[in-house]
Structures are given as C-alpha cells and as structure tokens.
Amino acid sequence: MAKHNRNYKPEDIMFPDQHITTSNLVDEMEKSYIEYAMSVIVGRALPDVRDGLKPVHRRILYTMYESGLTSDKPFKKSATCVGDVLGKYHPHGDTSVYDAMVRLAQNFSMRYMLVDGHGNFGSVDGDPPAAYRYTEARMAKIAGELLGDINKDTIDWGTNYDDKLKEPTVLPVKIPNLLVNGATGIAVGMATNIPPHNLTEVINACVAVLDDPECTMVDLMEHVSGPDFPTGGIIMGRSGIRAAYATGRGKVVVRARTEFEEFGKDRIRIIVTELPYQVNKSMLVKHIADQVRDKKLEGISDLRDESDREGMRVVIELKHDANPNIVLNRLFKHTQMQDTFGITMLALVNNEPKVMNLLEMLMHYLRHQEDVVARRTRYDLNKAEERDHILQGLLIALDNIDEVVHIIRNSRNNELAKQALQERFGLSEIQSAAITEMRLRQLTGLEVEKLENERAELERQITYFNDVLASVDMQLQIVKDELQEIKQKYGDERRSEIVYSSEEFNPEDFYADDDMVITISHMGYIKRTPLAEYRTQNRGGVGAKGSATRDEDFIEHIYVASMHNTM
C-alpha cells in the first residue's frame, strides 16, 4: 500500500473539478436526521388515513392484483409475490416483505384477512411461518374491494424507486380499512396503535355521518361500541374507549375469556378459551407455570394446553381447597390473562402525521370515497362519450353504406379513404378510422339494431353520469349504497365482549369473604381468628385457642364480622 502523502499534485486528482464544502456538524446532523425521520414516517411506518395501509402492504396487494393473484385464481408460491414486490416497488429486505404479507394472512392478527394463505403462516403460540419457498398465497376476497376500480383513474399514481413503473399512492378502498383492521407502527419520535373494529359497526357509523355530518361522539358510539379484536376477549369498562374516540388516545383493558368447569370429586378447573389481542399463548402458559413454581400464584395444581384445530383451550386445575374466583383474579393481575391495549390513533393526512378522533378518521375516509366516486364517474362518462362518438359515425356510415363503400373502394390507401370520409360526412378522425375498420357482418339488420340499442343505452348512461357529477348528494348516496352492500357481503358478529367494570382491582377480590371473630383485649391487642377455629369453651376446659391472652390481660370486646367488612 502506498504511503499517505498530503502533497497532492493537480494531475493526481481523479476528478479535478471537485471541491470540498465545509459544514457545521450540528446543522448537518439535524438536517440529515429530519430527512431520515420524515422518510420513515411517510414511507414506512405509518398508515394513510384513507386506505389504512402502509406502503409495504399497499405494494403487496397491488403486486398481487397486477399478477392476477385474485381470490378466484389458484394459489402461487409466496416467493413469487415477494420477489415481484422487491423487484418492482419495495427495494428492502425480503424478510420485511414476507413478514408483512404473513401478517395479512393471520386470522389472529387481522380482523378481516387481506391475504389468503396456504401453508404454515405462524400461530398464536408465536411459531414462525414456514419459509416463503414452502407457502402459497393469493388475495383474500375482501381485498378485492380495496382495489376495485383502480384502473378507472380513481387515485393518484407515483413512480417506483427507479422511475420505471407507476405505483398507487393510495388504494380506492371500499371498506374503512384503517379502523376495521387497525394498524401498529413505530416511526421516529412517534408511534401508532389503532385497534381493529367490527366492519358492520364501522359502516353503520359511516352511514350515520353521511346522514348527519354534525353527529356527536355519543351518536357514533351508539354504532361503534368499541374495538373488536380477532382473538376475542373481554374489554373491561368503556372509559378508555370513550377517551380514545374523543381524543385519539386512550387505554383499553382486555381480559381472557374464562369459565369454571367441575372435574373429579368437588374439584374446579379454569378453562381459558380466548386471550387478549397479541398475547402469545405458549409464553403465557410458561409464565403461569413459573409463577406457580416461585409460589407467587397459589392454589393451582396442574396446568396444560389442550388447544387444537377446534379452538383454544388452556386448562388450569385448582387445588381442592382453593377459591376459584381468588385464583382467577390473581391470574388477571399477575399474568397477561389481563392486558392493556394503549390506543394512539395516529395516521398520515396529506403525508403529515396526525392524531385524530373517531369522527375525524371517518370524515377523511368518506371524503376519499366521495373523491373516488367522482373520479370513477368522470372516467366512465369519458369512456361512454368516446364510444357514443364512434357509434354516431358508424350509424352515419350505415345510413349511407353504398356511398361509403364507393369512397373506400376508390381510395388508393386507408389514409386517403379516411380523409375522404371526413370531408364527405363531416366525421372526426376517430369516427372515420372506426368506419374503415368496420366488419361486413355489421351491415346486417340485426347488427344495425344492436348498434342503435347500444347508443340509446349510452345516452341514458351519459345523462346519469352528468347528473352524478353535478350533485354531491348523489355521490354521497352512491358511497352509502356501496357501503351497505359491503356490509351485507362481509359483515359479521362481534368477537370481543364489552362489560361495564371498574378498571382497577378491588383488594377484596384477592381473599374469600369468610366469617371471622375479632377480639380486642383490655391492653389493646387485636386478633382476627376464623370463626371455624374459634370454639366455645367446654365444661372443665381451659378455653379456645383463639381467645388466649397474656396472664395480666383479658378479652374486653368480641365481634363477629366477614373478611370484606370495614372495621
């Protein structure tokens, strides 16, 4: 290696026109970090308020649509989709794309799955999915509603990373996907955590906003009662839900669904059938076992996971003398059988992150839908007018077919024939081109009648499209009708139950309401003794153990009370 030499000559410099710019380190770091932060916020971590998708999810769905991987087509290897997404739109790691696609196919992650997966796509126990060379995927049926009419100029398009292809900046979603499937993302200096909701409830809320734009949060909560997690569970209380819907931030306490089951001789076991959202079942079982071994949880004699393809079933057998309610309350307090879901309703509005309440999110979605309907109608109108224009020319030609045939036969080439037709009948270039390409079978009476019927139908459509574009009320009615149609096709019952309850544990929940004897001695000593142990004195006896005092002391007061009384 050549020795370091500071005495450079001009001819030694490979690029003689280069120059060095001096910059303040603090300014340079601040500028660079802000650019990086905005790139992460806009281009990676946060969903768009309109379609509820991050760029990677949008690219996965669009690539599947582009490749014809719709719900009615056969499955294809996941590697095919991942490779196409990487090569065309998302130049990042293949693991990041595959992990994002896997999540869209997990019934315990998505309330309404957008990808139909075939093979091992992971489990609620935290098992990883199989490698993408083994699994297969295609779009789920409901995902088709996110891309419907995408080719009718309903959205804006941008260029991909190398400016060679066009990609959608947002999808023309017919379902309010941001609220329905929720979103989780960690950006720079901010994070979003939007819970999933029930499709029927959210669409009912959308309809309520369309009917009354001045509706209040109370009105909306008559339709959207709260989050609806794919794993079910029981939501404790409504105060956190109200706070989240009113301000965009709140906390929701979710409990596992449990039931008591008798077995053996007067024995009870706790059966867990649903867990809080995003709780790993195998880790929960291990944590409970560790707590039992460390004597932090008492009253449990056996623990096992009996889950199968029929559903979840975690069995917690209790000791003979254990109080089932007390053990269950301790499980809720000390394990993830009760978990808190922190809601932050943050999404991108015009590429700027914003925390929104429920009404704002619904309004942004409905404005997007109104825009989609208007742009789609404008596209359909243009297509109808173009076709009507051609039909006008064809019908003129059919009315003067002998002269048209004569002009075409006596023209030296196609261009001269088109010019002659334009001059003779006052046709446009498009009309004359259609006439020269007309087939002989279109000269039959039946074909002429078909063209006339088609034109009459086009005239009716053009009138309708113009009416829609001239009326905002008609556009909103179309949005409303399409939402109702989506609700009929995909709406289902709630999975998460909401119960009225205090969000804090009551200390009384951790011990039984047994009867006790309280004794207070002359010297001020107070003692609590279970009533069953406090025996009456027999003849010739020395008194019950429960009432023993010091030699110079004696019992002055005796009370009988329960453990849940206040003294």
Side-chain angles (χ1 to χ4, degrees), residues 135-205:
T135 61
E136 297 177 333
R138 64 184 178 191
M139 285 168 59
K141 188 177 180 183
I142 196 171
E145 308 293 351
L146 272 64
L147 290 126
D149 301 323
I150 193 171
N151 292 325
K152 289 191 174 184
D153 193 32
T154 50
I155 53 159
D156 293 329
W157 297 74
T159 55
N160 71 334
Y161 62 91
D162 60 1
D163 294 334
K164 291 181 179 177
L165 296 169
K166 295 284 186 183
E167 66 170 314
T169 57
V170 66
L171 296 185
V173 292
K174 286 187 179 180
I175 65 171
N177 185 58
L178 181 60
L179 282 166
V180 164
N181 272 321
T184 303
I186 300 171
V188 178
M190 62 189 71
T192 184
N193 204 28
I194 303 169
H197 290 78
N198 184 270
L199 178 66
T200 302
E201 292 187 355
V202 175
I203 288 180
N204 287 340

Side-chain angles (χ1 to χ4, degrees), residues 376-393:
R376 182 183 69 201
T377 305
R378 201 170 295 116
Y379 177 90
D380 288 339
L381 174 63
N382 291 337
K383 287 294 181 184
E385 288 177 339
E386 288 171 9
R387 179 61 181 163
D388 183 57
H389 181 64
I390 290 171
L391 288 179
Q392 286 179 28

